[in-house]
């Protein structure tokens, strides 16, 4: 039996989108391949509210995170972390020999504009990474206020992880002046895992040109230049299957209407939050609670593993807490094509199990 997924990725994929993954292959050096990549880019620009170039990477989101910090850090990166995925960016820097400092917030708390200001004022950094939506703690960072601070430092490249929030909540890349905004397919975009997407600014491209060891496969400059020189092609063979499905799913997303989609996500988030507050507690402060997943503090001390096992027997799956938050918290995702009705059905089952 397929379990309905309320985990923060991979998400359930609509059957017609899954079918597009089975589209017969085309040559990756054909006009059709260029047209496919161009079509995806134009639609992604709408979802991301940007005129900047869109890059695709046949990797999961982590690929472009690694590519960004390695390709565009000239001196030193300031990595702000509010949980597991922020920390990952620091681990990537270290693994690639990129100089970086980690600025961590307490679990459940956001990155504050003050923290960013204090770090950037030292003049030591030329790249900053922010997690928009931290999938471990369920914190959505105050990105507008943070972006305002970063704008005061025109030499600093701003890299933003929107892996678990893009297409589920409004992120206006150009207005925030994000230089590299990264997402991947298996979360709020509603596709199978395996493709990552980012927007990239001229500033980030110019920064990359000053970095000599950008790696090879995840070199953002190479991805960018290939699009310019070869009319929307990809340096190696991309996952054309994902591209067929993404192009199709983006039509669906734009037909739903971005504002409607964001509203649907917000309504689901509010519903889960109020349920959580009735039975448990929210893990983050409500003002910083994510619109695409809710991390709930296990104040009743239930066995989350056991709950999930019982949910599994009823055809549902949620997530335990991440890493050190396992059993102390649990997570319910409400992203991509999930509806309020789906969520109500899930929460009814949980109510019935824990009563
Ligand atoms: C899932 C996730 C990642 C990692 O993305 P992959 O596509 O699994 O590599 C990074 N950041 C956040 C916030 C995520 O939710």
């Amino acid at each position: 039996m397929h379990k309905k997924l309320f985990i923060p990725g991979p998400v359930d994929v609509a059957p017609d989108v899954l079918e597009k993954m089975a589209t017969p292959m085309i040559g990756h050096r054909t006009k059709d391949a260029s047209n496919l990549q161009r079509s995806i880019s134009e639609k992604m620009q709408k979802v991301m509210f940007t005129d900047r170039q869109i890059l695709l990477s046949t990797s999961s989101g982590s690929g472009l995170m690694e590519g960004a910090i390695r390709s565009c850090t000239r001196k030193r990166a300031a990595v702000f972390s509010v949980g597991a995925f922020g920390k990952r960016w620091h681990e990537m820097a270290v693994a690639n020999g990129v100089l970086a400092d980690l600025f961590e917030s307490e679990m459940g708390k956001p990155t504050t504009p003050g923290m960013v200001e204090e770090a950037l004022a030292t003049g030591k950094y030329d790249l900053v990474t922010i997690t928009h939506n931290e999938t471990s703690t369920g914190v959505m960072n105050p990105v507008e206020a943070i972006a305002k601070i970063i704008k005061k430092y025109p030499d600093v490249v701003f890299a933003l992880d929107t892996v678990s929030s893009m297409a589920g909540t409004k992120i206006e890349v150009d207005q925030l002046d994000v230089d590299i905004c990264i997402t991947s397919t298996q979360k709020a975009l509603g596709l199978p895992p395996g493709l990552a997407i980012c927007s990239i600014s001229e500033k980030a491209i110019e920064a990359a040109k000053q970095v000599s060891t950008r790696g090879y496969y995840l070199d953002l400059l190479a991805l960018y230049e290939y699009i310019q020189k070869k009319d929307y092609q990809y340096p190696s063979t991309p996952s054309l299957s994902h591209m067929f499905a993404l192009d199709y799913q983006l039509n669906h997303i734009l037909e739903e209407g971005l504002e409607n989609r964001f509203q649907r996500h917000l309504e689901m988030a509010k519903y889960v939050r109020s349920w959580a507050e009735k039975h448990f507690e929210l893990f983050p402060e409500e003002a910083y609670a994510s619109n695409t997943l809710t991390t709930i503090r296990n104040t009743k001390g239930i066995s989350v593993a056991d709950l999930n096992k019982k949910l599994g027997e009823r055809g549902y799956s949620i997530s335990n807490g991440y890493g050190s938050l396992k059993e102390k918290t649990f997570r319910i995702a409400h992203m991509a094509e999930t509806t309020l009705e789906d969520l109500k059905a899930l929460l009814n089952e949980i109510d019935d199990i824990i009563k």
Side-chain angles (χ1 to χ4, degrees):
M1 176 179 60
H2 173 71
K3 289 180 198 157
K4 211 163 167 45
L5 299 177
F6 293 87
I7 64 174
V11 297
D12 278 318
V13 181
D16 51 337
V17 177
L18 272 181
E19 239 169 66
K20 290 289 165 187
M21 292 287 288
T23 305
M25 281 305 120
I26 57 173
H28 69 298
R29 294 287 171 243
T30 59
K31 195 105 202 104
D32 285 345
S34 294
N35 289 340
L36 180 60
Q37 188 166 336
R38 188 184 303 101
S39 169
I40 290 167
S41 298
E42 287 169 2
K43 292 171 202 167
M44 275 310 301
Q45 284 176 325
K46 293 189 180 139
V47 173
M48 296 176 115
F49 296 85
T50 186
D51 291 330
R52 294 174 178 174
Q53 184 61 57
I54 301 294
L55 307 180
L56 304 181
S57 169
T58 297
S59 66
S60 69
S62 302
L64 283 177
M65 289 168 67
E66 182 160 357
I69 201 158
R70 176 163 182 168
S71 301
C72 299
T73 307
R74 292 145 292 170
K75 289 190 303 195
R76 198 174 189 94
V79 175
F80 290 89
S81 170
V82 296
F85 291 105
K87 254 197 197 142
R88 181 178 288 187
W89 230 333
H90 187 254
E91 288 162 8
M92 287 168 171
V94 171
N96 280 286
V98 172
L99 300 176
D101 293 320
L102 180 62
F103 299 90
E104 286 185 272
S105 299
E106 206 183 304
M107 289 288 226
K109 298 270 192 305
T111 298
T112 65
M115 290 169 70
V116 177
E117 174 91 79
E118 199 184 322
L120 295 187
T122 63
K124 275 161 61 177
Y125 305 104
D126 57 11
L127 184 136
V128 48
T129 74
I130 301 286
T131 310
H132 177 251
N133 190 66
E134 175 54 63
T135 314
S136 58
T137 59
V139 165
M140 195 173 259
N141 266 319
V143 70
E144 282 87 7
I146 292 169
K148 258 192 207 140
I149 302 296
I150 300 173
K151 278 182 194 171
K152 295 201 283 181
Y153 298 88
D155 294 334
V156 173
V157 172
F158 177 11
L160 185 67
D161 170 355
T162 63
V163 171
S164 61
S165 48
M166 185 57 76
T169 196
K170 194 177 208 166
I171 302 158
E172 293 180 275
V173 166
D174 285 1
Q175 201 246 314
L176 296 168
D177 207 5
V178 181
D179 294 299
I180 309 167
C181 187
I182 300 165
T183 193
S184 60
T185 44
Q186 79 278 17
K187 299 199 182 165
L189 277 168
L191 293 143
L195 196 72
I197 304 137
C198 75
S199 62
I200 189 154
S201 70
E202 281 301 322
K203 193 208 279 186
I205 292 300
E206 289 311 311
K209 286 178 183 167
Q210 294 164 41
V211 176
S212 54
T213 51
R214 296 183 301 275
Y216 189 91
Y217 190 68
L218 300 167
D219 174 3
L220 300 196
L221 183 60
L223 290 170
Y224 178 83
E225 288 185 335
Y226 227 81
I227 289 169
Q228 308 297 315
K229 288 185 193 143
K230 305 275 181 175
D231 188 28
Y232 279 89
Q233 286 197 4
Y234 191 84
S236 50
T237 319
S239 175
L240 292 157
S241 306
H242 280 90
M243 290 168 66
F244 288 124
L246 176 57
D247 190 47
Y248 178 85
Q249 169 70 351
L250 285 168
N251 288 342
H252 166 75
I253 289 172
L254 295 170
E255 274 160 25
E256 178 179 16
L258 291 172
E259 295 299 335
N260 294 336
R261 192 173 178 87
F262 302 149
Q263 190 57 33
R264 175 167 58 81
H265 279 78
L266 183 62
E267 274 169 24
M268 293 193 292
K270 285 183 172 165
Y271 192 85
V272 178
R273 282 176 213 159
S274 71
W275 175 87
E277 277 166 342
K278 205 164 91 197
H279 299 279
F280 298 92
E281 258 173 40
L282 281 183
F283 184 68
E285 277 170 55
E286 177 137 26
Y288 302 110
S290 163
N291 289 352
T292 55
L293 85 146
T294 300
T295 300
I296 299 161
R297 196 187 292 276
N298 182 11
T299 48
K300 283 190 159 75
I302 59 164
S303 161
V304 175
D306 196 45
L307 168 64
N308 221 358
K309 192 162 159 265
K310 289 186 177 135
L311 279 172
E313 287 158 11
R314 299 174 185 212
Y316 296 89
S317 178
I318 62 169
S319 279
N320 208 320
Y322 195 101
S324 61
L325 294 175
K326 202 168 178 174
E327 293 295 331
K328 295 192 182 109
T329 65
F330 59 96
R331 296 172 297 156
I332 297 175
H334 27 83
M335 57 173 79
E337 305 317 308
T338 302
T339 65
L340 191 56
E341 279 58 48
D342 296 333
L343 264 182
K344 285 180 178 169
L346 168 77
L347 297 178
N348 279 338
E349 297 293 348
I350 298 180
D351 283 339
D352 189 52
I353 292 168
I354 65 175
K355 73 169 187 260

